[in-house]
Amino acid sequence: MQQDNGSPSVLDASSMHNSKQPRLFVVAEKAVKVPEGVTKSESAILIPNEVISHKPRPGPTAEDEAGLFSKITFGFMSPMIKLGARRPLQLGDVDGPPTRVQCQTVMATFDKLWVAQQKKKDPKLWMVLLDLVKRDVMIVMLYGVVYSATLFTVPFLFPRVLEVIAGARPQWEGYLYAGIIYGMNVVGGVIQSHSLARMTGVALKVRGALSCVIYQKALRLGTDAWKETTTGQVFNMVGQRVEQLFRSVPILQSASYIPLLVVIAFAYLFYVLGWAATGGLVVLCLAVPFNYHITKSFRKFLFGKYGFADKRMTIMNQVLQAIRVIKFYAWENSFVQGIEEQRCEEVKISRKLALQVAKLMVSQNFAPSLFQLAIFVVYALVHDVNSVGIIFTSIALVNMIRQSFAILPFIFSTLQTSSATLTDIKKYLLLPEIDPKTEAGEGGRGEIQLGQVSLRWGKEADPVLSGVELSV
């Protein structure tokens, strides 16, 4: 440890490596002398490759303390962005998660909702999660309504802009319409950003609640329950399925406004083109059942993949727990064969799953183009194309529907994947637990008392021993 006057305490770890290795400097946090006017985070510029803190800053976050305007414009992020422009950010420079998405806050509500749901005949995990995030979902839906309104600014004002260009309207109206279109685009971008941020918070709540309740359940599982699951499956559930659900939730943000957007766009399209818009409606009606059938098959194969993955993890868990016995009796080949069989089945069903994804991609790329082609072919056959305003307005509306059309398959697949994941987690959460009324005896040291006990290997098995009485 070396220390100079007025300089931070530094541990030079280069002596533990050869001269070709990069030097490692670790700042002793309590010994750092920060100059006046320089924050603790900014003082890290003085020494490269240091670690100031291994934890996020405690206390209220910048978002919690930000004002209304700062929250609207995300101004509370500016200090961290400026600091990141000067040097790489450390974990100690970043705030912790907002209070509303922290696990202790989320679990306080989730536990009450799940206990109440378990009293029903058929408990539904998705209803508990929906009650947990219903306020955020309602805000996202409100954002979606406002965002949809901003998107219709262009098709509504574009004919008037063309009239200004043709000289039918005064020039100042053109500047006004251009300003309104630009302003609505800015407002729509801000609303979309807030909607995505809110849905990310929903994803954090869902991931935190499910991860905590899965681990809590593992501590309360009874002996019969561990015959149906393993520790490997528990870790697989948290590490893969909950994370997959976490990545899927923000995609559902589009589902909050796409139905309303499509309905309004079709109504406006019928107003502009008349019955010529029926061609696009027919394509839409044919594409939705096709996408639903694909996603239904996707869910079926996904369940199969989960099943084979769980079996493979079970065998791997058995191998790790009994590796000495396996090596002693030379059972390696038989266990390797069992693992390879499960892995081959998993690969087969993964290929079928990839085929369903390819079908969704084809639907995503082909259906919107067919939709646009059907509308304009029918319009050209029924009407004479003699109005530029009608053409540009209809193109703007059709592009809006096309973008929604392209997202539709992903929404279907995300809903099916999330449904499969929640069904699997609910099955695990309903496994029998240890009786909470079971208490240890209060007798003396080494006391063992049994009275009229029946012992069996399983809950449904016949008793092996009955009427056992033992006292030590």
Side-chain angles (χ1 to χ4, degrees), residues 124-158:
K124 299 185 182 300
L125 181 60
W126 67 270
M127 292 187 63
V128 176
L129 295 176
L130 184 60
D131 288 339
L132 181 68
V133 299
K134 61 182 179 182
R135 181 175 179 272
D136 297 304
V137 172
M138 292 178 64
I139 293 176
V140 170
M141 293 179 66
L142 180 61
Y143 284 152
V145 172
V146 179
Y147 177 69
S148 300
T150 61
L151 292 179
F152 285 97
T153 306
V154 173
F156 181 75
L157 294 180
F158 199 78

Side-chain angles (χ1 to χ4, degrees), residues 60-271:
T61 64
E63 183 180 357
D64 294 333
E65 296 179 340
L68 178 61
F69 182 77
S70 180
K71 288 183 177 180
I72 293 175
T73 59
F74 296 98
F76 59 88
M77 297 286 294
S78 298
M80 187 171 63
I81 294 174
K82 292 178 180 178
L83 181 60
R86 298 176 60 185
R87 64 166 179 81
L89 292 175
Q90 304 291 338
L91 186 58
D93 304 325
V94 184
D95 285 328
T99 306
R100 58 186 173 86
V101 300
Q102 293 178 1
C103 287
Q104 58 266 29
T105 306
V106 174
M107 288 305 296
T109 306
F110 181 86
D111 286 336
K112 297 177 183 179
L113 296 173
W114 179 238
V115 169
Q117 188 68 217
Q118 283 181 301
K119 296 179 181 179
K120 298 181 180 180
K121 185 177 180 180
D122 183 20
K124 299 185 182 300
L125 181 60
W126 67 270
M127 292 187 63
V128 176
L129 295 176
L130 184 60
D131 288 339
L132 181 68
V133 299
K134 61 182 179 182
R135 181 175 179 272
D136 297 304
V137 172
M138 292 178 64
I139 293 176
V140 170
M141 293 179 66
L142 180 61
Y143 284 152
V145 172
V146 179
Y147 177 69
S148 300
T150 61
L151 292 179
F152 285 97
T153 306
V154 173
F156 181 75
L157 294 180
F158 199 78
R160 292 166 175 78
V161 174
L162 293 177
E163 292 179 2
V164 172
I165 296 174
R169 289 177 177 269
Q171 189 175 7
W172 66 267
E173 288 190 12
Y175 292 107
L176 176 63
Y177 296 147
I180 293 175
I181 292 174
Y182 176 77
M184 288 295 101
N185 285 333
V186 172
V187 171
V190 172
I191 291 175
Q192 187 77 337
S193 300
H194 278 279
S195 179
L196 183 59
R198 182 67 65 166
M199 284 302 292
T200 304
V202 170
L204 289 171
K205 285 185 178 181
V206 171
R207 182 176 67 174
L210 292 179
S211 299
C212 289
V213 75
I214 287 172
Y215 284 130
Q216 287 179 0
K217 183 69 176 183
L219 299 176
R220 298 195 298 261
L221 287 180
T223 305
D224 293 334
W226 281 114
K227 296 177 182 179
E228 302 181 27
T229 187
T230 63
T231 54
Q233 292 179 8
V234 173
F235 286 119
N236 189 35
M237 194 177 301
V238 175
Q240 293 187 12
R241 299 176 196 178
V242 174
E243 285 298 317
Q244 185 181 33
L245 190 63
F246 169 75
R247 294 190 296 267
S248 300
V249 169
I251 299 177
L252 298 178
Q253 174 230 357
S254 304
S256 63
Y257 66 88
I258 280 182
L260 178 64
L261 181 66
V262 170
V263 170
I264 298 177
F266 258 113
Y268 200 177
L269 200 60
F270 270 99
Y271 173 76

Side-chain angles (χ1 to χ4, degrees), residues 318-319 322-333 335:
Q318 293 173 352
V319 170
I323 187 64
R324 292 185 178 180
V325 178
I326 294 173
K327 297 291 288 183
F328 182 79
Y329 289 100
W331 289 341
E332 297 96 328
N333 293 334
F335 275 92

Side-chain angles (χ1 to χ4, degrees), residues 329-448:
Y329 289 100
W331 289 341
E332 297 96 328
N333 293 334
S334 60
F335 275 92
V336 169
Q337 183 180 358
I339 294 173
E340 288 180 349
E341 289 177 356
Q342 297 298 327
R343 181 57 182 166
C344 288
E345 295 295 331
E346 188 178 352
V347 170
K348 289 180 182 178
I349 204 165
S350 296
R351 290 177 178 174
K352 296 180 180 178
L353 202 60
L355 181 61
Q356 302 304 315
V357 174
K359 291 181 180 178
L360 283 176
M361 295 298 293
V362 171
S363 175
Q364 176 197 8
N365 296 321
F366 179 70
S369 301
L370 183 61
F371 166 79
Q372 186 175 13
L373 179 64
I375 288 179
F376 288 114
V377 166
V378 174
Y379 181 77
L381 293 175
V382 175
H383 302 280
D384 293 331
V385 183
N386 54 9
S387 176
V388 178
I390 291 178
I391 293 175
F392 279 100
T393 302
S394 59
I395 289 176
L397 292 171
V398 168
N399 286 333
M400 292 169 55
I401 300 176
R402 282 190 62 189
Q403 294 174 2
S404 304
F405 220 124
I407 303 174
L408 201 60
F410 289 101
I411 294 177
F412 282 146
S413 62
T414 300
L415 289 174
Q416 294 291 345
T417 304
S418 303
S419 175
T421 301
L422 292 178
T423 301
D424 207 29
I425 295 176
K426 187 191 79 170
K427 182 180 177 181
Y428 164 78
L429 294 179
L430 294 179
L431 292 175
E433 301 179 359
I434 299 174
D435 188 359
K437 298 181 181 179
T438 303
E439 298 179 358
E442 298 179 356
R445 177 180 175 184
E447 178 182 27
I448 299 177

